[in-house]
Amino acid sequence: MRKNFGVKPAIYPMPVLIIGSFDENGTADAMNAAWGGISEEKEISVCISEGHKTTKNILEAGCFTVSIPDVKNTVAADFVGIVSGNDTPDKIEKAGWTYEKSEIINAPVFNELPFALECKLISYDKDSCRLVGEILNVSADESILTDGKVDLNKFRPITYDPMNHDYIALGEKVGKAFSDGKKLK
C-alpha cells in the first residue's frame, strides 16, 4: 500500500547546492539552495527567488559558482541557508569558509567545499525563480579523488531530505550505471 502526500517539493536525493557570488564591492556571498539540478548537458538550473542577495549579485555579475557541501560542512552549509547576506554581510567568515576567485569567472570558489561548478548566467525568470547557468568548468579538490576521478567515499556529499528536513550523507555503491541493466537484455 502507498501513502499519498499530495503536492510536495520532494525528490530523492535532493542536492544541497551552495551558490556563490561576488557583490559589486567584491564581497563573497553564498546561499544554500536545494531546488536545482542539471537541466541540459552543459546547464544547471536552480530555483532562487528575486529577493536574495545572491540573485542580485548573479544578475549584476553574470556568473556564479555551485558547490556541493560534504559532511564536514553540514553546519556551515545550513548556516548560509538560514542567514541572509542582505542582513549578515560577513556570513562567509562566520561559516568558517575561505575562498579564491575562480580562474574562469568572477565568482568565489570556496576552499572548504571540495566540488564546484563554475557557471555563466544564461537566464533568470523572476516569475518562476528559475536561474539557468552554463557550466564552464567543474573542479574538485584532489583530496576527494581516486585515480583522477571523484570518489564519493572520500567526498561524502550531503543531500537534503525535504520531507523530514534532514541532511543525509550519500551512502554505499550498489551498482554500476549503464552496465548492470545489461543482465536483463
Side-chain angles (χ1 to χ4, degrees):
M1 177 176 270
R2 298 178 72 90
K3 178 180 178 178
N4 293 323
F5 290 96
V7 177
K8 298 270 187 207
I11 190 167
Y12 291 95
M14 185 173 267
V16 177
L17 307 172
I18 304 300
I19 313 302
S21 63
F22 286 129
D23 69 11
E24 66 278 359
N25 300 315
T27 302
D29 185 48
M31 71 169 284
N32 183 326
W35 296 1
I38 301 300
S39 53
E40 291 289 338
E41 184 73 20
K42 296 179 183 178
E43 290 180 4
I44 186 166
S45 295
V46 184
C47 181
I48 58 174
S49 65
E50 191 176 14
H52 290 289
K53 180 169 181 54
T54 301
T55 307
K56 179 184 174 201
N57 293 348
I58 293 168
L59 293 176
E60 288 180 6
C63 57
F64 58 98
T65 56
V66 179
S67 298
I68 309 294
D70 55 4
V71 171
K72 303 184 281 224
N73 283 283
T74 302
V75 171
D78 191 56
F79 174 76
V80 300
I82 60 176
V83 175
S84 171
N86 289 319
D87 305 320
T88 310
D90 61 344
K91 74 182 200 176
I92 302 302
E93 182 180 326
K94 286 184 175 183
W97 291 344
T98 59
Y99 61 88
E100 295 177 19
K101 182 180 178 263
S102 162
E103 294 177 16
I104 297 170
I105 58 171
N106 184 30
V109 175
F110 299 103
N111 296 316
E112 292 73 20
L113 303 179
F115 187 88
L117 297 120
E118 297 161 68
C119 306
K120 176 176 77 172
L121 177 65
I122 293 175
S123 64
Y124 179 71
D125 179 0
K126 67 178 182 177
D127 294 328
S128 67
C129 301
R130 184 172 183 240
L131 174 81
V132 180
E134 177 184 359
I135 301 166
L136 300 179
N137 186 46
V138 176
S139 65
D141 189 273
E142 290 183 9
S143 67
I144 65 167
L145 303 181
T146 298
D147 298 327
K149 295 181 182 178
V150 174
D151 182 333
L152 290 179
N153 290 316
K154 289 180 178 179
F155 182 7
R156 301 202 59 221
I158 58 173
T159 64
Y160 173 60
D161 175 351
M163 299 290 275
N164 297 293
H165 303 291
D166 293 327
Y167 293 111
I168 308 295
L170 283 179
E172 68 183 292
K173 176 181 170 181
V174 296
K176 187 71 174 165
F178 306 104
S179 178
D180 288 355
K182 293 177 183 175
K183 298 172 191 170
L184 301 179
K185 279 189 160 186

mmCIF file of all heavy atoms in Angstrom, residues 6 8 16 42 55 60 67 72 89-90 92 94 99 101-102 110 114-116 124 132 145 153-154 181:
data_model
loop_
_atom_site.group_PDB
_atom_site.id
_atom_site.type_symbol
_atom_site.label_atom_id
_atom_site.label_comp_id
_atom_site.label_asym_id
_atom_site.label_seq_id
_atom_site.Cartn_x
_atom_site.Cartn_y
_atom_site.Cartn_z
ATOM 1 N N GLY A 6 0.206 14.289 -1.429
ATOM 2 C CA GLY A 6 -0.225 15.470 -2.156
ATOM 3 C C GLY A 6 0.950 16.167 -2.798
ATOM 4 O O GLY A 6 2.032 15.590 -2.946
ATOM 5 N N LYS A 8 4.070 18.134 -3.007
ATOM 6 C CA LYS A 8 5.203 18.476 -2.131
ATOM 7 C C LYS A 8 6.435 18.661 -3.006
ATOM 8 O O LYS A 8 6.601 17.959 -3.995
ATOM 9 C CB LYS A 8 5.502 17.337 -1.144
ATOM 10 C CG LYS A 8 4.394 17.003 -0.192
ATOM 11 C CD LYS A 8 4.524 17.820 1.042
ATOM 12 C CE LYS A 8 3.504 17.359 2.060
ATOM 13 N NZ LYS A 8 3.112 18.370 2.966
ATOM 14 N N VAL A 16 22.137 19.440 -2.150
ATOM 15 C CA VAL A 16 22.374 20.665 -1.388
ATOM 16 C C VAL A 16 23.364 21.449 -2.239
ATOM 17 O O VAL A 16 24.470 20.990 -2.496
ATOM 18 C CB VAL A 16 22.956 20.371 0.012
ATOM 19 C CG1 VAL A 16 23.261 21.668 0.745
ATOM 20 C CG2 VAL A 16 22.001 19.497 0.817
ATOM 21 N N LYS A 42 25.221 20.886 -20.546
ATOM 22 C CA LYS A 42 26.154 21.872 -20.005
ATOM 23 C C LYS A 42 25.439 22.934 -19.189
ATOM 24 O O LYS A 42 25.918 24.052 -19.073
ATOM 25 C CB LYS A 42 26.940 22.537 -21.144
ATOM 26 C CG LYS A 42 27.825 21.592 -21.917
ATOM 27 C CD LYS A 42 28.535 22.325 -23.030
ATOM 28 C CE LYS A 42 29.377 21.366 -23.849
ATOM 29 N NZ LYS A 42 30.034 22.068 -24.954
ATOM 30 N N THR A 55 20.937 36.363 -5.754
ATOM 31 C CA THR A 55 20.279 36.577 -7.044
ATOM 32 C C THR A 55 20.691 37.914 -7.631
ATOM 33 O O THR A 55 21.055 38.001 -8.814
ATOM 34 C CB THR A 55 18.749 36.510 -6.891
ATOM 35 O OG1 THR A 55 18.389 35.278 -6.241
ATOM 36 C CG2 THR A 55 18.055 36.583 -8.235
ATOM 37 N N GLU A 60 23.861 40.927 -11.658
ATOM 38 C CA GLU A 60 24.815 42.007 -11.950
ATOM 39 C C GLU A 60 26.119 41.477 -12.542
ATOM 40 O O GLU A 60 26.661 42.057 -13.480
ATOM 41 C CB GLU A 60 25.098 42.818 -10.689
ATOM 42 C CG GLU A 60 23.931 43.696 -10.280
ATOM 43 C CD GLU A 60 24.191 44.505 -9.022
ATOM 44 O OE1 GLU A 60 25.329 44.496 -8.493
ATOM 45 O OE2 GLU A 60 23.246 45.154 -8.551
ATOM 46 N N SER A 67 28.616 24.932 -5.472
ATOM 47 C CA SER A 67 29.445 23.967 -4.755
ATOM 48 C C SER A 67 28.557 22.953 -4.053
ATOM 49 O O SER A 67 27.419 23.258 -3.678
ATOM 50 C CB SER A 67 30.320 24.677 -3.721
ATOM 51 O OG SER A 67 31.201 25.578 -4.359
ATOM 52 N N LYS A 72 31.509 17.281 6.529
ATOM 53 C CA LYS A 72 32.239 18.193 7.424
ATOM 54 C C LYS A 72 31.658 19.606 7.419
ATOM 55 O O LYS A 72 31.839 20.351 8.361
ATOM 56 C CB LYS A 72 33.710 18.325 7.020
ATOM 57 C CG LYS A 72 34.501 17.089 6.955
ATOM 58 C CD LYS A 72 35.948 17.412 6.629
ATOM 59 C CE LYS A 72 36.129 17.681 5.175
ATOM 60 N NZ LYS A 72 37.281 17.072 4.554
ATOM 61 N N PRO A 89 26.473 40.540 6.176
ATOM 62 C CA PRO A 89 27.444 40.578 5.085
ATOM 63 C C PRO A 89 28.701 39.741 5.331
ATOM 64 O O PRO A 89 29.410 39.399 4.384
ATOM 65 C CB PRO A 89 27.788 42.063 4.956
ATOM 66 C CG PRO A 89 27.360 42.691 6.231
ATOM 67 C CD PRO A 89 26.259 41.845 6.789
ATOM 68 N N ASP A 90 28.978 39.378 6.589
ATOM 69 C CA ASP A 90 30.164 38.574 6.900
ATOM 70 C C ASP A 90 29.817 37.103 7.118
ATOM 71 O O ASP A 90 30.518 36.385 7.819
ATOM 72 C CB ASP A 90 30.880 39.145 8.122
ATOM 73 C CG ASP A 90 30.019 39.138 9.379
ATOM 74 O OD1 ASP A 90 28.776 38.989 9.268
ATOM 75 O OD2 ASP A 90 30.582 39.284 10.481
ATOM 76 N N ILE A 92 30.138 34.512 5.245
ATOM 77 C CA ILE A 92 31.164 33.571 4.790
ATOM 78 C C ILE A 92 32.197 33.370 5.902
ATOM 79 O O ILE A 92 32.581 32.241 6.218
ATOM 80 C CB ILE A 92 31.853 34.066 3.500
ATOM 81 C CG1 ILE A 92 30.835 34.277 2.386
ATOM 82 C CG2 ILE A 92 32.962 33.109 3.062
ATOM 83 C CD1 ILE A 92 30.024 33.069 2.021
ATOM 84 N N LYS A 94 31.725 33.936 9.111
ATOM 85 C CA LYS A 94 31.058 33.258 10.228
ATOM 86 C C LYS A 94 30.885 31.767 9.961
ATOM 87 O O LYS A 94 30.889 30.962 10.879
ATOM 88 C CB LYS A 94 29.710 33.906 10.526
ATOM 89 C CG LYS A 94 29.837 35.249 11.206
ATOM 90 C CD LYS A 94 28.484 35.827 11.565
ATOM 91 C CE LYS A 94 28.666 37.118 12.342
ATOM 92 N NZ LYS A 94 27.376 37.676 12.770
ATOM 93 N N TYR A 99 37.919 31.484 0.460
ATOM 94 C CA TYR A 99 37.649 31.304 -0.962
ATOM 95 C C TYR A 99 38.773 31.895 -1.790
ATOM 96 O O TYR A 99 39.591 32.667 -1.307
ATOM 97 C CB TYR A 99 36.317 31.967 -1.350
ATOM 98 C CG TYR A 99 36.300 33.455 -1.113
ATOM 99 C CD1 TYR A 99 36.739 34.346 -2.093
ATOM 100 C CD2 TYR A 99 35.880 33.978 0.102
ATOM 101 C CE1 TYR A 99 36.758 35.706 -1.864
ATOM 102 C CE2 TYR A 99 35.885 35.345 0.342
ATOM 103 C CZ TYR A 99 36.324 36.203 -0.655
ATOM 104 O OH TYR A 99 36.341 37.551 -0.422
ATOM 105 N N LYS A 101 39.118 33.499 -5.938
ATOM 106 C CA LYS A 101 38.361 33.874 -7.129
ATOM 107 C C LYS A 101 38.618 32.811 -8.196
ATOM 108 O O LYS A 101 39.753 32.389 -8.411
ATOM 109 C CB LYS A 101 38.800 35.249 -7.626
ATOM 110 C CG LYS A 101 38.024 35.720 -8.838
ATOM 111 C CD LYS A 101 38.508 37.099 -9.284
ATOM 112 C CE LYS A 101 37.766 37.521 -10.513
ATOM 113 N NZ LYS A 101 38.483 37.258 -11.734
ATOM 114 N N SER A 102 37.557 32.383 -8.840
ATOM 115 C CA SER A 102 37.679 31.430 -9.936
ATOM 116 C C SER A 102 38.640 31.974 -10.984
ATOM 117 O O SER A 102 38.686 33.178 -11.231
ATOM 118 C CB SER A 102 36.303 31.201 -10.565
ATOM 119 O OG SER A 102 36.412 30.627 -11.846
ATOM 120 N N PHE A 110 34.855 28.188 -2.988
ATOM 121 C CA PHE A 110 35.080 28.022 -1.554
ATOM 122 C C PHE A 110 36.043 26.867 -1.296
ATOM 123 O O PHE A 110 35.804 25.734 -1.720
ATOM 124 C CB PHE A 110 33.749 27.827 -0.831
ATOM 125 C CG PHE A 110 32.837 29.008 -1.002
ATOM 126 C CD1 PHE A 110 31.780 28.969 -1.887
ATOM 127 C CD2 PHE A 110 33.092 30.195 -0.319
ATOM 128 C CE1 PHE A 110 30.961 30.072 -2.078
ATOM 129 C CE2 PHE A 110 32.288 31.306 -0.503
ATOM 130 C CZ PHE A 110 31.220 31.250 -1.385
ATOM 131 N N PRO A 114 34.715 20.813 -1.461
ATOM 132 C CA PRO A 114 35.651 20.175 -2.381
ATOM 133 C C PRO A 114 35.204 20.001 -3.827
ATOM 134 O O PRO A 114 35.984 19.549 -4.651
ATOM 135 C CB PRO A 114 35.877 18.807 -1.732
ATOM 136 C CG PRO A 114 34.621 18.542 -0.987
ATOM 137 C CD PRO A 114 34.145 19.877 -0.502
ATOM 138 N N PHE A 115 33.982 20.387 -4.155
ATOM 139 C CA PHE A 115 33.477 20.179 -5.514
ATOM 140 C C PHE A 115 32.707 21.425 -5.949
ATOM 141 O O PHE A 115 31.860 21.911 -5.202
ATOM 142 C CB PHE A 115 32.552 18.955 -5.544
ATOM 143 C CG PHE A 115 32.105 18.549 -6.915
ATOM 144 C CD1 PHE A 115 32.871 17.684 -7.671
ATOM 145 C CD2 PHE A 115 30.914 19.016 -7.439
ATOM 146 C CE1 PHE A 115 32.458 17.296 -8.942
ATOM 147 C CE2 PHE A 115 30.494 18.640 -8.707
ATOM 148 C CZ PHE A 115 31.262 17.773 -9.462
ATOM 149 N N ALA A 116 33.013 21.937 -7.139
ATOM 150 C CA ALA A 116 32.351 23.168 -7.587
ATOM 151 C C ALA A 116 32.153 23.195 -9.091
ATOM 152 O O ALA A 116 32.980 22.684 -9.855
ATOM 153 C CB ALA A 116 33.165 24.390 -7.165
ATOM 154 N N TYR A 124 17.448 34.186 -16.222
ATOM 155 C CA TYR A 124 16.747 34.191 -14.941
ATOM 156 C C TYR A 124 15.315 34.626 -15.185
ATOM 157 O O TYR A 124 15.082 35.677 -15.802
ATOM 158 C CB TYR A 124 17.417 35.125 -13.924
ATOM 159 C CG TYR A 124 16.678 35.134 -12.603
ATOM 160 C CD1 TYR A 124 16.711 34.020 -11.771
ATOM 161 C CD2 TYR A 124 15.926 36.227 -12.205
ATOM 162 C CE1 TYR A 124 16.024 34.003 -10.570
ATOM 163 C CE2 TYR A 124 15.239 36.220 -10.998
ATOM 164 C CZ TYR A 124 15.291 35.099 -10.188
ATOM 165 O OH TYR A 124 14.594 35.083 -8.999
ATOM 166 N N VAL A 132 19.303 29.798 -14.717
ATOM 167 C CA VAL A 132 19.965 28.813 -15.565
ATOM 168 C C VAL A 132 21.379 29.291 -15.839
ATOM 169 O O VAL A 132 21.594 30.453 -16.206
ATOM 170 C CB VAL A 132 19.208 28.601 -16.897
ATOM 171 C CG1 VAL A 132 19.916 27.567 -17.760
ATOM 172 C CG2 VAL A 132 17.767 28.194 -16.641
ATOM 173 N N LEU A 145 39.650 12.693 -4.732
ATOM 174 C CA LEU A 145 39.866 11.932 -5.954
ATOM 175 C C LEU A 145 40.578 10.610 -5.680
ATOM 176 O O LEU A 145 41.418 10.508 -4.794
ATOM 177 C CB LEU A 145 40.714 12.747 -6.942
ATOM 178 C CG LEU A 145 40.193 14.117 -7.356
ATOM 179 C CD1 LEU A 145 41.162 14.755 -8.347
ATOM 180 C CD2 LEU A 145 38.794 14.036 -7.931
ATOM 181 N N ASN A 153 33.187 8.066 -1.534
ATOM 182 C CA ASN A 153 33.545 7.661 -0.164
ATOM 183 C C ASN A 153 34.495 8.655 0.488
ATOM 184 O O ASN A 153 34.474 8.841 1.698
ATOM 185 C CB ASN A 153 34.151 6.261 -0.160
ATOM 186 C CG ASN A 153 33.123 5.209 -0.485
ATOM 187 O OD1 ASN A 153 32.007 5.245 0.018
ATOM 188 N ND2 ASN A 153 33.481 4.289 -1.362
ATOM 189 N N LYS A 154 35.324 9.308 -0.316
ATOM 190 C CA LYS A 154 36.202 10.353 0.206
ATOM 191 C C LYS A 154 35.452 11.682 0.298
ATOM 192 O O LYS A 154 35.652 12.450 1.233
ATOM 193 C CB LYS A 154 37.427 10.530 -0.702
ATOM 194 C CG LYS A 154 38.412 9.397 -0.643
ATOM 195 C CD LYS A 154 39.573 9.679 -1.576
ATOM 196 C CE LYS A 154 40.617 8.587 -1.528
ATOM 197 N NZ LYS A 154 41.733 8.872 -2.455
ATOM 198 N N GLY A 181 22.157 -3.154 -15.954
ATOM 199 C CA GLY A 181 20.916 -3.444 -16.665
ATOM 200 C C GLY A 181 21.083 -4.357 -17.851
ATOM 201 O O GLY A 181 20.115 -4.972 -18.324
#
